[in-house]
Amino acid sequence: MADQFLYNSRGEWIAFRVGKNIFDTNGNWIGWMPWDDTDVVTSDGQYLGTICENDRFYYFIGKPYRGYPGYPGYPGYPGYPGYPGFAGYSPLPPGAEDVKIPKRE
């Protein structure tokens, strides 16, 4: 079950968090939170985005590289968390854009 639903600036549900792992709306693992903050990286350590305002997932342009965080191991399939609905519009913070969720076939 999802610990947190994540939305873009338009209020569309784009991902969810289970523990330190982030999944797309189909349950595909797309990243994790290796540090004790809200930055998310892909499984190969590339910056994916930052969780803001408790439920918004944004990509900050020019975010400094923090080093390779290691590989946490595949977390498995989390199951479908259900549709959380629409969250409403929220303006993007300065220097941010909506996260581009990697597409999986």
Side-chain angles (χ1 to χ4, degrees):
M1 183 46 89
D3 292 342
Q4 181 179 35
F5 293 104
L6 303 172
Y7 303 87
N8 64 17
S9 64
R10 294 179 302 278
E12 299 165 339
W13 175 47
I14 58 170
F16 64 98
R17 181 178 68 85
V18 176
K20 290 187 169 224
N21 295 295
I22 309 297
F23 300 88
D24 68 14
T25 58
N26 294 316
N28 297 309
W29 182 48
I30 58 171
W32 65 297
M33 302 165 69
W35 302 288
D36 291 328
D37 61 17
T38 56
D39 283 348
V40 177
V41 298
T42 62
S43 61
D44 61 356
Q46 299 298 311
Y47 174 68
L48 181 61
T50 301
I51 299 172
C52 301
E53 303 169 24
N54 199 36
D55 67 352
R56 301 301 167 134
F57 196 19
Y58 300 138
Y59 176 85
F60 284 87
I61 301 161
K63 187 86 166 176
Y65 180 67
R66 296 178 69 174
Y68 180 65
Y71 181 76
Y74 181 70
Y77 181 68
Y80 183 69
Y83 178 68
F86 180 74
Y89 174 78
S90 179
L92 287 165
E97 59 187 38
D98 285 321
V99 168
K100 293 171 183 61
I101 302 296
K103 298 292 181 201
R104 300 259 166 97
E105 300 296 319

